Amino acid sequence: MPWDSWEALHTIARTLPRVAVFTVAAFSAIYLSERLTGAPTVQYRTRGFRHDLVYWFYYLSGVHNLVFTSALFAALTPRLAVFDLKLLEGMHPIPRYVCYWVVVDFMAYWFHRWKHSSRFLWAFHAVHHSQEQLSAPTLVRGHPLEQFIGQVLFFAPLLALGAPPAAWLPIAFLRTFLESSQHSALGWRFGPFY
């Protein structure tokens, strides 16, 4: 096995404890919120929940990135240097992160719509909708090819904005927590807009 592969495996091994801590913290907050609001929690004792946990650790540990995206992005980065415009480089960090968030959220919304309207993408996205009892980790239940396509589509715009991968991490954790809570049994209301 080449040195790079050993280094990547070492990185994943270092990531797993952080993923475990994030998972326990996020699920505890969501589970306690469900209990306090009287939402059902039976979904956490199902085989589907355990299945979703496997997806959760597969994607958040970095295994998916090692297997699918690392080599591609390493090869693409020099070839896509023309897109590395660093459009937001001089901006204060707070508005810059807000811009990253808005761009990622906009792209995620339209990519999700596309997955429902394209027969090709739906064939992969149907894995996500196969869960019969939603729980917080259902968010990441998805086909690896669907995840890979999404990562490729998000790569060039974020590169153009000048968002280094380290900048994506806090956004990714916050989005993961918020979207996981949307897949939970919490009763979501929008006040007068409901």
Side-chain angles (χ1 to χ4, degrees), residues 8 23 30 57 67 94 103 175:
T23 301
I30 292 169
F57 281 99
V67 173
I94 293 174
V103 168
R175 283 184 55 83

Side-chain angles (χ1 to χ4, degrees), residues 27 30 34 40 43-44 49 52 56 112 115-116 125 127-142 146 175-188:
F27 291 165
I30 292 169
E34 288 173 330
Q43 67 273 19
Y44 295 108
F49 172 72
D52 288 346
W56 184 272
H112 190 241
K115 289 187 281 189
H116 281 260
H125 188 56
V127 170
H128 175 71
H129 288 277
S130 66
Q131 176 60 284
E132 294 176 1
Q133 291 185 309
L134 291 180
S135 64
T138 302
L139 165 69
V140 293
R141 175 188 282 241
E146 171 193 355
R175 283 184 55 83
T176 299
F177 176 74
L178 292 173
E179 291 177 11
S180 289
S181 60
Q182 292 169 359
H183 285 78
S184 71
L186 290 170
W188 287 96

Side-chain angles (χ1 to χ4, degrees), residues 82-163:
V82 68
F83 291 109
D84 192 3
L85 303 175
K86 298 186 183 356
L87 295 174
L88 304 178
E89 188 173 33
M91 190 181 280
H92 187 274
I94 293 174
R96 186 173 60 219
Y97 273 92
V98 170
C99 287
Y100 293 160
W101 181 279
V102 168
V103 168
V104 167
D105 198 52
F106 178 82
M107 291 170 50
Y109 171 79
W110 285 105
F111 182 53
H112 190 241
R113 295 278 307 256
W114 189 26
K115 289 187 281 189
H116 281 260
S117 62
S118 162
R119 288 178 125 168
F120 174 76
L121 291 175
W122 174 254
F124 302 108
H125 188 56
V127 170
H128 175 71
H129 288 277
S130 66
Q131 176 60 284
E132 294 176 1
Q133 291 185 309
L134 291 180
S135 64
T138 302
L139 165 69
V140 293
R141 175 188 282 241
H143 194 281
L145 190 57
E146 171 193 355
Q147 301 292 331
F148 176 72
I149 292 168
Q151 289 172 325
V152 169
L153 289 175
F154 284 54
F155 183 70
L158 288 172
L159 183 66
L161 292 175

Side-chain angles (χ1 to χ4, degrees), residues 2-21:
W3 171 253
D4 290 343
S5 298
W6 284 113
E7 185 62 32
L9 291 174
H10 181 67
T11 300
I12 289 171
R14 285 191 326 245
T15 304
L16 281 174
R18 287 184 228 145
V19 170
V21 168

